[in-house]
mmCIF file with all atom_site columns, all heavy atoms in Angstrom:
data_model
loop_
_atom_site.group_PDB
_atom_site.id
_atom_site.type_symbol
_atom_site.label_atom_id
_atom_site.label_alt_id
_atom_site.label_comp_id
_atom_site.label_asym_id
_atom_site.label_entity_id
_atom_site.label_seq_id
_atom_site.pdbx_PDB_ins_code
_atom_site.Cartn_x
_atom_site.Cartn_y
_atom_site.Cartn_z
_atom_site.occupancy
_atom_site.B_iso_or_equiv
_atom_site.pdbx_formal_charge
_atom_site.auth_seq_id
_atom_site.auth_comp_id
_atom_site.auth_asym_id
_atom_site.auth_atom_id
_atom_site.pdbx_PDB_model_num
ATOM 1  N N   . ALA A 1 318 ? 14.857 -4.767 -36.373 1.00 97.00 ? 1570 ALA A N   1
ATOM 2  C CA  . ALA A 1 318 ? 16.144 -5.112 -36.963 1.00 97.00 ? 1570 ALA A CA  1
ATOM 3  C C   . ALA A 1 318 ? 16.025 -5.351 -38.498 1.00 97.00 ? 1570 ALA A C   1
ATOM 4  O O   . ALA A 1 318 ? 16.857 -5.046 -39.342 1.00 97.00 ? 1570 ALA A O   1
ATOM 5  C CB  . ALA A 1 318 ? 16.673 -6.251 -36.222 1.00 97.00 ? 1570 ALA A CB  1
ATOM 6  N N   . ALA A 1 319 ? 14.876 -6.033 -38.866 1.00 97.00 ? 1571 ALA A N   1
ATOM 7  C CA  . ALA A 1 319 ? 14.637 -6.413 -40.248 1.00 97.00 ? 1571 ALA A CA  1
ATOM 8  C C   . ALA A 1 319 ? 14.494 -5.090 -41.107 1.00 97.00 ? 1571 ALA A C   1
ATOM 9  O O   . ALA A 1 319 ? 15.049 -5.016 -42.195 1.00 97.00 ? 1571 ALA A O   1
ATOM 10 C CB  . ALA A 1 319 ? 13.499 -7.303 -40.371 1.00 97.00 ? 1571 ALA A CB  1
ATOM 11 N N   . ARG A 1 320 ? 13.875 -4.091 -40.562 1.00 97.00 ? 1572 ARG A N   1
ATOM 12 C CA  . ARG A 1 320 ? 13.546 -2.847 -41.380 1.00 97.00 ? 1572 ARG A CA  1
ATOM 13 C C   . ARG A 1 320 ? 14.837 -2.122 -41.516 1.00 97.00 ? 1572 ARG A C   1
ATOM 14 O O   . ARG A 1 320 ? 15.145 -1.486 -42.490 1.00 97.00 ? 1572 ARG A O   1
ATOM 15 C CB  . ARG A 1 320 ? 12.584 -1.970 -40.654 1.00 97.00 ? 1572 ARG A CB  1
ATOM 16 C CG  . ARG A 1 320 ? 11.194 -2.791 -40.486 1.00 97.00 ? 1572 ARG A CG  1
ATOM 17 C CD  . ARG A 1 320 ? 9.956  -2.118 -40.931 1.00 97.00 ? 1572 ARG A CD  1
ATOM 18 N NE  . ARG A 1 320 ? 10.146 -0.736 -41.337 1.00 97.00 ? 1572 ARG A NE  1
ATOM 19 C CZ  . ARG A 1 320 ? 9.366  0.247  -40.706 1.00 97.00 ? 1572 ARG A CZ  1
ATOM 20 N NH1 . ARG A 1 320 ? 8.631  -0.045 -39.660 1.00 97.00 ? 1572 ARG A NH1 1
ATOM 21 N NH2 . ARG A 1 320 ? 9.464  1.455  -41.107 1.00 97.00 ? 1572 ARG A NH2 1
ATOM 22 N N   . VAL A 1 321 ? 15.703 -2.092 -40.484 1.00 98.00 ? 1573 VAL A N   1
ATOM 23 C CA  . VAL A 1 321 ? 17.021 -1.399 -40.569 1.00 98.00 ? 1573 VAL A CA  1
ATOM 24 C C   . VAL A 1 321 ? 17.859 -2.175 -41.605 1.00 98.00 ? 1573 VAL A C   1
ATOM 25 O O   . VAL A 1 321 ? 18.530 -1.496 -42.474 1.00 98.00 ? 1573 VAL A O   1
ATOM 26 C CB  . VAL A 1 321 ? 17.721 -1.276 -39.224 1.00 98.00 ? 1573 VAL A CB  1
ATOM 27 C CG1 . VAL A 1 321 ? 19.032 -0.678 -39.328 1.00 98.00 ? 1573 VAL A CG1 1
ATOM 28 C CG2 . VAL A 1 321 ? 16.834 -0.528 -38.234 1.00 98.00 ? 1573 VAL A CG2 1
ATOM 29 N N   . ALA A 1 322 ? 17.835 -3.453 -41.528 1.00 98.00 ? 1574 ALA A N   1
ATOM 30 C CA  . ALA A 1 322 ? 18.709 -4.282 -42.523 1.00 98.00 ? 1574 ALA A CA  1
ATOM 31 C C   . ALA A 1 322 ? 18.201 -3.987 -43.938 1.00 98.00 ? 1574 ALA A C   1
ATOM 32 O O   . ALA A 1 322 ? 18.992 -3.795 -44.873 1.00 98.00 ? 1574 ALA A O   1
ATOM 33 C CB  . ALA A 1 322 ? 18.583 -5.687 -42.178 1.00 98.00 ? 1574 ALA A CB  1
ATOM 34 N N   . ALA A 1 323 ? 16.836 -3.818 -44.133 1.00 98.00 ? 1575 ALA A N   1
ATOM 35 C CA  . ALA A 1 323 ? 16.343 -3.527 -45.435 1.00 98.00 ? 1575 ALA A CA  1
ATOM 36 C C   . ALA A 1 323 ? 16.871 -2.126 -45.911 1.00 98.00 ? 1575 ALA A C   1
ATOM 37 O O   . ALA A 1 323 ? 17.196 -2.040 -47.135 1.00 98.00 ? 1575 ALA A O   1
ATOM 38 C CB  . ALA A 1 323 ? 14.817 -3.637 -45.443 1.00 98.00 ? 1575 ALA A CB  1
ATOM 39 N N   . LEU A 1 324 ? 16.897 -1.209 -45.040 1.00 98.00 ? 1576 LEU A N   1
ATOM 40 C CA  . LEU A 1 324 ? 17.326 0.216  -45.407 1.00 98.00 ? 1576 LEU A CA  1
ATOM 41 C C   . LEU A 1 324 ? 18.756 0.039  -45.891 1.00 98.00 ? 1576 LEU A C   1
ATOM 42 O O   . LEU A 1 324 ? 19.133 0.754  -46.786 1.00 98.00 ? 1576 LEU A O   1
ATOM 43 C CB  . LEU A 1 324 ? 17.239 1.123  -44.265 1.00 98.00 ? 1576 LEU A CB  1
ATOM 44 C CG  . LEU A 1 324 ? 15.956 1.837  -43.843 1.00 98.00 ? 1576 LEU A CG  1
ATOM 45 C CD1 . LEU A 1 324 ? 16.123 2.627  -42.697 1.00 98.00 ? 1576 LEU A CD1 1
ATOM 46 C CD2 . LEU A 1 324 ? 15.520 2.648  -45.027 1.00 98.00 ? 1576 LEU A CD2 1
ATOM 47 N N   . GLU A 1 325 ? 19.550 -0.714 -45.121 1.00 98.00 ? 1577 GLU A N   1
ATOM 48 C CA  . GLU A 1 325 ? 20.954 -0.861 -45.636 1.00 98.00 ? 1577 GLU A CA  1
ATOM 49 C C   . GLU A 1 325 ? 21.045 -1.545 -46.922 1.00 98.00 ? 1577 GLU A C   1
ATOM 50 O O   . GLU A 1 325 ? 21.868 -1.145 -47.749 1.00 98.00 ? 1577 GLU A O   1
ATOM 51 C CB  . GLU A 1 325 ? 21.717 -1.649 -44.577 1.00 98.00 ? 1577 GLU A CB  1
ATOM 52 C CG  . GLU A 1 325 ? 22.016 -0.802 -43.252 1.00 98.00 ? 1577 GLU A CG  1
ATOM 53 C CD  . GLU A 1 325 ? 22.999 -1.402 -42.342 1.00 98.00 ? 1577 GLU A CD  1
ATOM 54 O OE1 . GLU A 1 325 ? 22.661 -2.511 -41.752 1.00 98.00 ? 1577 GLU A OE1 1
ATOM 55 O OE2 . GLU A 1 325 ? 24.118 -0.937 -42.258 1.00 98.00 ? 1577 GLU A OE2 1
ATOM 56 N N   . ALA A 1 326 ? 20.317 -2.641 -47.110 1.00 98.00 ? 1578 ALA A N   1
ATOM 57 C CA  . ALA A 1 326 ? 20.310 -3.380 -48.351 1.00 98.00 ? 1578 ALA A CA  1
ATOM 58 C C   . ALA A 1 326 ? 19.873 -2.471 -49.528 1.00 98.00 ? 1578 ALA A C   1
ATOM 59 O O   . ALA A 1 326 ? 20.489 -2.649 -50.649 1.00 98.00 ? 1578 ALA A O   1
ATOM 60 C CB  . ALA A 1 326 ? 19.378 -4.675 -48.236 1.00 98.00 ? 1578 ALA A CB  1
ATOM 61 N N   . GLU A 1 327 ? 18.977 -1.589 -49.368 1.00 97.00 ? 1579 GLU A N   1
ATOM 62 C CA  . GLU A 1 327 ? 18.466 -0.719 -50.401 1.00 97.00 ? 1579 GLU A CA  1
ATOM 63 C C   . GLU A 1 327 ? 19.472 0.444  -50.688 1.00 97.00 ? 1579 GLU A C   1
ATOM 64 O O   . GLU A 1 327 ? 19.307 1.225  -51.596 1.00 97.00 ? 1579 GLU A O   1
ATOM 65 C CB  . GLU A 1 327 ? 17.180 -0.007 -50.016 1.00 97.00 ? 1579 GLU A CB  1
ATOM 66 C CG  . GLU A 1 327 ? 15.945 -0.912 -49.958 1.00 97.00 ? 1579 GLU A CG  1
ATOM 67 C CD  . GLU A 1 327 ? 14.874 -0.324 -49.050 1.00 97.00 ? 1579 GLU A CD  1
ATOM 68 O OE1 . GLU A 1 327 ? 14.820 0.937  -48.766 1.00 97.00 ? 1579 GLU A OE1 1
ATOM 69 O OE2 . GLU A 1 327 ? 13.956 -1.050 -48.609 1.00 97.00 ? 1579 GLU A OE2 1
ATOM 70 N N   . GLY A 1 328 ? 20.506 0.461  -49.843 1.00 97.00 ? 1580 GLY A N   1
ATOM 71 C CA  . GLY A 1 328 ? 21.467 1.568  -50.077 1.00 97.00 ? 1580 GLY A CA  1
ATOM 72 C C   . GLY A 1 328 ? 21.089 2.920  -49.513 1.00 97.00 ? 1580 GLY A C   1
ATOM 73 O O   . GLY A 1 328 ? 21.652 3.917  -49.798 1.00 97.00 ? 1580 GLY A O   1
ATOM 74 N N   . ARG A 1 329 ? 20.062 2.845  -48.720 1.00 98.00 ? 1581 ARG A N   1
ATOM 75 C CA  . ARG A 1 329 ? 19.572 4.266  -48.125 1.00 98.00 ? 1581 ARG A CA  1
ATOM 76 C C   . ARG A 1 329 ? 20.220 4.537  -46.817 1.00 98.00 ? 1581 ARG A C   1
ATOM 77 O O   . ARG A 1 329 ? 20.141 5.681  -46.371 1.00 98.00 ? 1581 ARG A O   1
ATOM 78 C CB  . ARG A 1 329 ? 18.004 4.174  -47.933 1.00 98.00 ? 1581 ARG A CB  1
ATOM 79 C CG  . ARG A 1 329 ? 17.332 4.187  -49.293 1.00 98.00 ? 1581 ARG A CG  1
ATOM 80 C CD  . ARG A 1 329 ? 15.797 4.396  -48.987 1.00 98.00 ? 1581 ARG A CD  1
ATOM 81 N NE  . ARG A 1 329 ? 15.548 5.702  -48.464 1.00 98.00 ? 1581 ARG A NE  1
ATOM 82 C CZ  . ARG A 1 329 ? 14.530 5.961  -47.798 1.00 98.00 ? 1581 ARG A CZ  1
ATOM 83 N NH1 . ARG A 1 329 ? 13.655 5.095  -47.556 1.00 98.00 ? 1581 ARG A NH1 1
ATOM 84 N NH2 . ARG A 1 329 ? 14.320 7.213  -47.238 1.00 98.00 ? 1581 ARG A NH2 1
ATOM 85 N N   . LEU A 1 330 ? 20.857 3.507  -46.218 1.00 98.00 ? 1582 LEU A N   1
ATOM 86 C CA  . LEU A 1 330 ? 21.489 3.744  -44.936 1.00 98.00 ? 1582 LEU A CA  1
ATOM 87 C C   . LEU A 1 330 ? 22.930 3.189  -44.995 1.00 98.00 ? 1582 LEU A C   1
ATOM 88 O O   . LEU A 1 330 ? 23.140 2.038  -45.455 1.00 98.00 ? 1582 LEU A O   1
ATOM 89 C CB  . LEU A 1 330 ? 20.772 3.002  -43.758 1.00 98.00 ? 1582 LEU A CB  1
ATOM 90 C CG  . LEU A 1 330 ? 21.508 2.865  -42.442 1.00 98.00 ? 1582 LEU A CG  1
ATOM 91 C CD1 . LEU A 1 330 ? 21.724 4.280  -41.812 1.00 98.00 ? 1582 LEU A CD1 1
ATOM 92 C CD2 . LEU A 1 330 ? 20.728 1.991  -41.507 1.00 98.00 ? 1582 LEU A CD2 1
#
Side-chain angles (χ1 to χ4, degrees):
R1572 301 235 346 245
V1573 178
L1576 276 179
E1577 289 193 289
E1579 290 159 16
R1581 290 190 63 202
L1582 167 63

